[in-house]
Amino acid sequence: MSTAAPTKPRAPATPIDILSNDTAKLYTHIHPALVLSLYAYQFRSIVADPVPALLNTLLPLAALQIGYVAVCLPPTGSGTAAGVEKKRPGEKKKVVEGGIGGKIIPAFLSLVLSALVATPILTATLVLFGAPVTTHHFHTLLCGAHISLLSTLPLVYVHGVDGHTWREVVALLLPIDEVYGGMIGTVMGAWLGAVPIPLDWDREWQKWPVTIVTGAYIGFAVGKLVGGTLLKGKKIMFE
Amino acid sequence: MDDGEPLPSYEGIAAAFAKAKAKKEQEEASGLRARTGDAAAANKQGEVHFKASHNILVAFFTWILLLHVLGIYLFTSGFLLTRLVLDEKSECDVLPFGTPESYKPGSSEKGCWHPKTFEKAIVIIVDALRYDFTIPFTPADTEKAHHFHNAIPILYETAAKQPNNAFLLPFIADPPTTTLQRLKGLTTGTLPTFIDAGSNFAGTAIDEDNLVAQLFNASKRIVHLGDDTWHALFPGYFEPNLTHAYDSFNVWDLHTLDNGVTEHLFPLLEPANTGKWDVIFGHYLGVDHAGHRYGPDHPAMTAKLQQMDGLIRKMIKQLSDDTLLVVMGDHGMDAKGDHGGESDDEIQAALWMYSKQKLFGRSAPAFNTPPATAKDRPVPQINLVPTLSLLLGMPIPFNNLGAPIEEAFIGAKGDNYQNLAVVNHLAASQLHRYQDAYAKARGFDEKTRASSLSLWTAASDKWKALSAAKKPTKAQFQAAYTAFSAYQTETLSLCRSLWARFDVPRMLNGVTILVLTLVILALYARSIESDRVELTPALLSRGGIGTVLGTLVGGGATFAFPSLAGEHIIVYSTGMGGVLGAATAFWYIRRRILSPIPNSVWGWTSLIFTVALSGGFAANSFTIWEDEILLYFLCTFGLLMMLSSFRQKNAIDRALGIYHSVLFIVLTRLASFSRLCREEQMPYCKSTYYASATSSTSASWQLYIPYAVAFLLPTFIRTYYKGTSSHQGSAVLWIDFALRFGLLLAAAYWTLDAADDGEWYPGYSEMLKSTKVIIAQITLAIAFAFGYSTFSWAKPLLSIESKSKGTTSAPVISNGGTSSITILGYANVHGSRYALLITIWALAVFLVEKPMGAGAIGIATWQIFSLFEIMDTNKLSDTSVGPVVLGLLGSFHYFKTGHQATLASIQWESAFIPLRTIKYPWSPVLVILNTFGAQILCAVAVPGLVLWKQPPKKKGLLGDVAKAVSTHMLFYAVINLATTMWAGHLRRHLMLYRIFNPRFMLGAAVMLVVDAVVVFVGLGGTRLSFLSVAEVFGWVEGLGRAKEGRFRASHL
């Protein structure tokens, strides 16, 4: 992953700002509500039979996410690489230049990358963390796919496939913004989602992988909100 | 290095030394080496100083261990009450009071000690039949009728209307009110305790004298129907063709078991079948399950009780004249329908006896109506045993503490005091015989039982007077009866105080000591700013003085007030004295204490994960699934370490860190496939540790695992040594040959064991047995004799390479003349030297684990080395994460070596791996090594976290080791404190004896074992390792300022 040439000094990464038009500002708050509503709407059928229900939810989720990134976020290359683009007119200009094609193509590209690259990696991680190996393959794969669409799709859209940036993404070195916060929130939510599984409450919803996916959805909404407001621009310090 | 001594260190390592010698001379010539007498003296002083500091550290940690022992002892002595199980059995033809001459031995035909009243008995247990379920309830304004009211009226009806045929009484259970403990009490007539010392730990079968065994020995045919707990308690006692047991754990199923009992019970009551049995024990669970599932106030409970009512009516109808019908609850239930504790609702069950003959009576007409509440005329449950025994003509079981129930012996007119006096004399005499035997076995003095003895004398006198009288009056009989009853009551309360009561002050005092010791350990481990070596003497001396003073004060108090419980006070004041002493020491060094709040992501995660794990032990589910939780936590730490590795600036550090973190996660997951499920994990868990879920032998494919480890593990360890060019000297001999050979022998042991077990070569069994034992002994000799001598006398794993000047690009150590020298292995001189010890213990533990567990130990060893690399590349050796991850890793592999937090999972047979018979102290040591092998291995590895890749002259290294060691102890101390407090707090919980108590015992045992290992093996190994390194490099303090510029170590 660390393929970036170390010789060239890079500008420090900056938090992603959502596009400054009114639609974007409004929709970025509507989007998590829509995602959660979608999940809430599907929840009963997911609990009843996870595989078909999760599969059916995948497409609407992808559509919502693509809509979100297209409406609210600057696609990769539109100013992040050149450092902070504070001037609003400049930014707007770029967006205008990009047009619909300049948004939809990166959006679909991020969908493909999330589906083909991030999903297997996340599924493998789920298995490493204790997901069943011999059974429930589709459950786990779909769980990975949902997490991947929630966490990775917007990130690919805004950061592209630059190796150096992705090393920073994994290393938690990027400053927090709503996209990065959404990713971290999704992962932490999915992590916390494992907590109720062992409890002896004998509830249907404790079945694999309902709690993980639920945690991921809630975590996405919380992370996105907190990352875009409270913690925006903060960096994660290990020491 | 100095001139005064004969070139000490370099002789051993053959090839390198010739060069080294030349170098040394060269160095001396070029003034590189110190040659003055000053340096020699300083070096000697440094060694003395090190040894003294080390001794103080060992003493300090031993003192912590002592505090842990005191705390656990106090808590345990208040919590785990133990009772000695005596082997004596009552016999039919031996009366309990010495056989008078006129006595003709009784028989089980007519009645052993007393003429029998009934030929047969049907004993029906309606699990959790609370007393107030059975008595009529008139709704009033204050309280409306609940669903459990008036649903089973038959018992009250018969007792009130036909008092000579039936009686109904409150039946008081002794806590813990769990079915298993209750059945023990109902059949032995004694009080339950958690540990019945002397009984077989591994099984639950009752081996003391009891009613079922007496019936069985008298050739009575016993039928059991219902709850399968009976079969665990009385294996093989029941008529196999007529008996039907059902699984008792599925509390959601209200009907399967009950219908099964009913289905098989009634055919036996047909006149054609009554000849096939003598006693039937039927155990219905539906009421209990309805309580657990819905609570008592629910229509399901009404339905269940009404069903029971109908069944009992049907039984009465079919009952023959010579048969006694008993219906009882073994305990009650609380408002939520659960039980296990000692609240009134839980202990108040109902007892009802019925006979077609008019045999029962009351001592007063007012008593014809059953008591309105359970507070009136209650009968202790242990009274059932003597009552049933005498009614059926059996001897009273030896351990019985109960008295015959008055209503059953007083006669239909209610005035047969002669009979009452006789049966009470029998029961009291047996009780007295038992008390004598128990006092003798336990070494009680007369003082403890003075009150009961005086009552015995009084009652015996009355009995003698009665026997002497020609025609004893009714009043005399009544007096004798009352006297024997008084004796029995007093003795029972004495036994209860000895056995069956939680001693809460002791428990609290124990927890207090544990909490305060935890605070000391936490401050010491994480909040001291400067070198621990400098501060330990103050802590130790003040803590030690406090301990001694505490003992003296406690001893004085005991002496001054002999009425107090002496050992409790001494233990508590000793512990508190030590804690206070340490507190003054902390006050003394208060300027060097930092805030204990973590200041990095590592401090926080260590804290949060330890606390989360500890908090989880309050819930039975999290305790049951601990193995999976540890997998989750370890993978999370692996992931965090991987993220941290991604953050590293140095590309090599980054790549190595990521590689080892991923490896760590993958290995954790790989090890997780080794599972031994506990009962409560079913059906969501599949055991893989043995060939199948029901066997305890390994599958044949599993026998390859140890061989794979034997071939691979030494190679892997070698790569970790090669990374710093440390694979040389003794390491070559040990890792490549001795260790590998030892591992192969251990693998061969398990193959031979399987061959012996599976009778692959019938006829050679004896040969296989002796061969495998010898092989195991050789393996242990390789580990401990050869391994430890290598470890003690090995030189640091170094060699010196010289190159002509100008040609080298390798790390240059010194430019003395025309050539440069490179010390290979310099960068990891401490770590490589110390880590030999880890492999020694790995080999020993490897042998005593079964093949699957051997694989887990192999993986654990590999993970330990990976963790060392991660700590180094991420520069984490100073943080708490290493010792905590090792604690999690040790706990995780505890489960992966075929153990669970249950007594049943202890692999007792491991005592026989290198021995053919039990030998003390070796057999227990082997079982400990098998049980806690993983935690022991990880504890041994703790100093390695700090020492791995440290340059030889790093200052304060010993203090860093102390820090890591204390952090590791802290991890287990937190777990132990949590499990202790939960067990104490949840002492009334239904799952106490199944889940919380075993986890508490595990936590305490692990902590003590780890304390001892980390101090004596870990710190002891550190000493040997440091001495060896210092022989070459001298002592840091001793060399002082001269050391600067002597060597330029580079990162090899």
Side-chain angles (χ1 to χ4, degrees), chain B residues 27-48:
Chain B
E27 283 169 20
E28 281 171 5
S30 61
L32 200 72
R33 228 163 228 285
R35 283 202 289 180
T36 54
D38 266 5
N43 204 20
K44 187 78 201 154
Q45 206 184 349
E47 184 178 335
V48 171

Side-chain angles (χ1 to χ4, degrees), chain B residues 854-876:
Chain B
I857 291 298
I859 289 175
T861 315
W862 194 4
Q863 286 184 291
I864 287 169
F865 281 97
S866 267
L867 189 64
F868 289 170
E869 290 290 342
I870 298 168
M871 292 297 115
D872 172 61
T873 55
N874 286 296
K875 290 140 200 101
L876 296 175

Side-chain angles (χ1 to χ4, degrees), chain A residues 213-237:
Chain A
V213 181
T214 310
Y217 273 83
I218 297 173
F220 169 75
V222 173
K224 182 174 170 301
L225 181 69
V226 175
T229 53
L230 219 60
L231 296 178
K232 183 155 185 185
K234 295 237 163 52
K235 290 192 109 183
I236 297 170
M237 304 302 286

